[in-house]
Amino acid sequence: MSRRSFAGYSCEESLSTGLFGECFRAKNKKGNEARVIVVDDRLAQRKRFASALARHGTKLGDLVHSHVVTTKTVGRGKDGSLVVIASAVTEPVGLEQVVERSSGAIPGDIALSIAMGALGGLSYAHLQQVIHGGVHPRSVIIDGEGISKLADFGLARALASAAAAAEDSELLRGLRGYVAPEIALGQEPDFRSDVYAAGVLVAQLLWNSLTPTSDGSEVA
């Protein structure tokens, strides 16, 4: 892979590829690290998704909390790619990876710790009047110290907004299992839809019924 640069950050390592696109570990000239998400073209080309991401994702730089992966900025690369730059996470492991490694049987105390971390991040966001829009296992990341963080602020909201607007019914599949009734009925995501999705996440974590999802091919 040729090294790509966005907003002063050079992508050094591909961390994962999922529904929203490819995530890289990146570093700027000062040595500061960040997570750079190059949005999948299938999403970036959807006008409602792109406009919702620009509208909501550019206002999240002040959302800083120990259980939140902060969305620093949203923009376009020189090649036209839609890009999200977020705060770095040390030795990140996705919740779905944890599920896979544990064969779906996460010990109760660990599951509770992960759930409480994600809820702490969501609670803080709500206190700041920020809606996540797509609480889901793929948006939960555990760092090297075992601290769980809620990620995808801006991206998840854009997906839910585009899905609610019925731009393409396939978009709802990206929220499968966590779609609040009001979103399915065409309403914009709000605090209630976050609570609904968070409740599903916690219940499945504690009952060991959470199963890994696909890598993003569910959005055609």
Side-chain angles (χ1 to χ4, degrees):
M1 179 195 77
S2 58
R3 182 165 295 190
R4 306 172 71 181
S5 297
F6 303 98
Y9 285 91
S10 295
C11 297
E12 299 194 338
E13 176 188 4
S14 178
L15 298 173
S16 62
T17 301
L19 174 67
F20 293 118
E22 189 169 7
C23 179
F24 297 88
R25 181 176 64 84
K27 185 179 294 186
N28 65 14
K29 292 182 179 180
K30 295 182 179 180
N32 300 318
E33 290 196 358
R35 292 168 63 85
V36 171
I37 299 93
V38 180
V39 179
D40 189 292
D41 284 342
R42 295 172 296 177
L43 285 175
Q45 290 174 5
R46 287 178 160 85
K47 293 182 179 180
R48 289 187 183 275
F49 176 89
S51 62
L53 181 57
R55 185 167 63 254
H56 301 295
T58 55
K59 304 175 182 178
L60 298 172
D62 293 331
L63 193 69
V64 179
H65 189 270
S66 58
H67 293 291
V68 167
V69 178
T70 302
T71 295
K72 294 183 174 183
T73 188
V74 175
R76 293 276 181 180
K78 293 181 179 179
D79 60 356
S81 299
L82 187 57
V83 179
V84 174
I85 297 178
S87 58
V89 178
T90 305
E91 301 177 26
V93 178
L95 176 53
E96 292 178 324
Q97 292 175 277
V98 174
V99 173
E100 290 174 352
R101 293 176 184 179
S102 61
S103 300
I106 302 176
D109 57 341
I110 295 177
L112 181 60
S113 176
I114 292 172
M116 291 302 293
L119 289 178
L122 184 63
S123 176
Y124 171 75
H126 282 188
L127 286 173
Q128 306 306 312
Q129 301 301 305
V130 173
I131 296 165
H132 186 275
V135 176
H136 189 280
R138 69 169 156 264
S139 296
V140 179
I141 298 173
I142 298 89
D143 70 12
E145 296 182 351
I147 298 174
S148 56
K149 301 173 181 288
L150 191 59
D152 297 335
F153 282 92
L155 284 164
R157 177 74 182 271
L159 179 68
S161 294
E167 181 179 69
D168 189 330
S169 61
E170 289 294 317
L171 289 173
L172 282 174
R173 296 178 62 188
L175 300 170
R176 185 169 48 197
Y178 297 81
V179 181
E182 56 267 25
I183 294 178
L185 292 173
Q187 298 177 30
E188 276 284 313
D190 59 21
F191 299 111
R192 297 169 301 166
S193 52
D194 275 354
V195 171
Y196 177 95
V200 176
L201 175 65
V202 172
Q204 292 192 346
L205 264 173
L206 297 183
W207 294 340
N208 273 318
S209 60
L210 187 150
T211 55
T213 58
S214 73
D215 63 1
S217 58
E218 55 198 9
V219 175

